Amino acid sequence: MKSLFKNIIVLATISVVLASCGGVPEEKSTVVATDNAFSVAQVLEMVAKENDVTRTLYTKAIVGKGKKQGMKFDEDWRKDDVEAGPLPALFLRGVATSIRKSPVPLGLYLGSDFPVNAANKFEGKQAELFKQIKKDQKPQFFYDDDQKLHTAMFADLASAAACVTCHNKHPQTSKSDWVLGDVMGATTWQYPKDSLTYKETVAVLNSYAKGTVDIYKEYLDEIKAFKDSEKPEIGKKWPAEGNYLPTAEVFLDSVKKLSSYETMKHLVTFNK
């Protein structure tokens, strides 16, 4: 597991990331390390962007392409008699579970006004703010007085056909006419402090990255136990190439390449 986290964005060498993106040379960069380096809104926005990249990659490249190869994804994927992987929403739930087990006080959940699971329906202030999110898709930030937590809500879009089909056909669905591009819900993040040090910010990003590894590795471990279904070959190839799945390291490396420079721009300032 330790070798995997050499690839996590926030632990990558800054000079390597900048060089690969054509950025400023190493001697021109300095890490922001003040006592209160980032506002909670900035940090939650950073981790939300990491989540967008990861979930889009999983939804399109694993679930979407995987289904075309005959792979199955099911809400009961953890049951012994179900040989399948986690649906995108359950992938996110797995990440959230991992984060809750970490020492980082970061909260994550997915809600909607038309959820498959009634327990995930927005109420009160979040329901009101979600109406605005559906209008302009802009994030909403507020302080939850009841929970004493700073909260940020980000639009969760129907970005892949797999999302639309699953929600429209689900037996418990409360809405069956979703189309691509719809705002299906909002990923909601919470944190107790109004500002974070550089070290705390890194810990937040690391806790999310570890969560993605944990749930993806759990999926790969499930595959090893398949008895009746054809097992995809796990290595460097992706479902787009056939009955293949990337290893956790290859998956995480792809996430890093897609999101690393944007995150580093928040973590690094450059001396002129």
Side-chain angles (χ1 to χ4, degrees):
M1 179 66 75
K2 288 183 179 180
S3 63
L4 287 177
F5 285 94
K6 291 180 181 178
N7 287 324
I8 294 177
I9 167 60
V10 293
L11 295 183
T13 303
I14 292 174
S15 60
V16 172
V17 175
L18 293 177
S20 67
C21 298
V24 180
E26 180 181 2
E27 62 270 16
K28 291 288 185 178
S29 65
T30 56
V31 175
V32 176
T34 61
D35 287 342
N36 295 296
F38 303 101
S39 70
V40 66
Q42 287 176 309
V43 176
L44 296 183
E45 199 157 16
M46 271 190 263
V47 73
K49 288 180 178 178
E50 293 283 318
N51 178 60
D52 284 344
V53 170
T54 305
R55 286 192 65 207
T56 298
L57 183 66
Y58 180 77
T59 301
K60 293 184 175 181
I62 302 296
V63 179
K65 298 295 184 181
K67 283 186 173 182
K68 292 182 179 180
Q69 301 297 340
M71 298 179 198
K72 297 179 181 179
F73 298 86
D74 193 282
E75 60 185 328
D76 293 322
W77 69 285
R78 283 194 173 100
K79 292 185 178 179
D80 292 339
D81 59 342
V82 177
E83 298 187 347
L87 292 164
L90 298 181
F91 185 90
L92 183 69
R93 186 184 299 175
V95 174
T97 298
S98 175
I99 293 173
R100 282 199 300 272
K101 294 178 180 178
S102 78
V104 178
L106 177 68
L108 166 62
Y109 59 91
L110 180 62
S112 176
D113 53 352
F114 292 103
V116 170
N117 185 337
N120 296 329
K121 186 171 183 177
F122 284 134
E123 296 180 349
K125 188 169 186 176
Q126 287 191 330
E128 289 301 314
L129 292 176
F130 184 57
K131 290 179 182 178
Q132 185 61 39
I133 290 175
K134 291 179 73 172
K135 291 179 180 178
D136 57 23
Q137 297 186 20
K138 293 181 180 179
Q140 295 289 327
F141 301 89
F142 69 98
Y143 183 72
D144 189 319
D145 289 309
D146 293 333
Q147 300 184 68
K148 307 300 180 187
L149 293 171
H150 295 274
T151 306
M153 299 170 65
F154 299 87
D156 187 65
L157 305 180
S159 59
C163 299
V164 174
T165 301
C166 178
H167 279 259
N168 283 343
K169 294 184 177 181
H170 196 283
Q172 292 178 280
T173 188
S174 54
K175 179 178 169 64
S176 58
D177 57 351
W178 295 104
V179 298
L180 283 173
D182 278 350
V183 178
M184 302 185 79
T187 48
T188 302
W189 303 81
Q190 295 181 311
Y191 198 81
K193 297 174 61 178
D194 63 359
S195 61
L196 290 79
T197 64
Y198 180 80
K199 184 177 180 181
E200 290 170 330
T201 300
V202 168
V204 165
L205 294 170
N206 260 341
S207 69
Y208 174 78
K210 182 180 183 301
T212 64
V213 171
D214 287 347
I215 186 63
Y216 189 75
K217 281 180 64 67
E218 187 177 349
Y219 170 34
L220 297 185
D221 289 340
E222 285 286 319
I223 290 173
K224 294 176 183 178
F226 284 4
K227 297 179 181 179
D228 301 319
S229 303
E230 183 180 359
K231 299 179 182 180
E233 181 181 327
I234 300 172
K236 295 183 178 180
K237 294 183 178 181
W238 292 70
E241 302 175 74
N243 193 31
Y244 305 105
L245 279 174
T247 63
E249 188 169 19
V250 171
F251 180 79
L252 187 62
D253 188 58
S254 294
V255 172
K256 181 190 70 174
K257 289 176 180 177
L258 290 169
S259 64
S260 60
Y261 188 57
E262 285 302 311
T263 299
M264 277 298 176
K265 284 197 298 185
H266 290 280
L267 295 176
V268 179
T269 59
F270 303 107
N271 291 330
K272 296 183 179 180

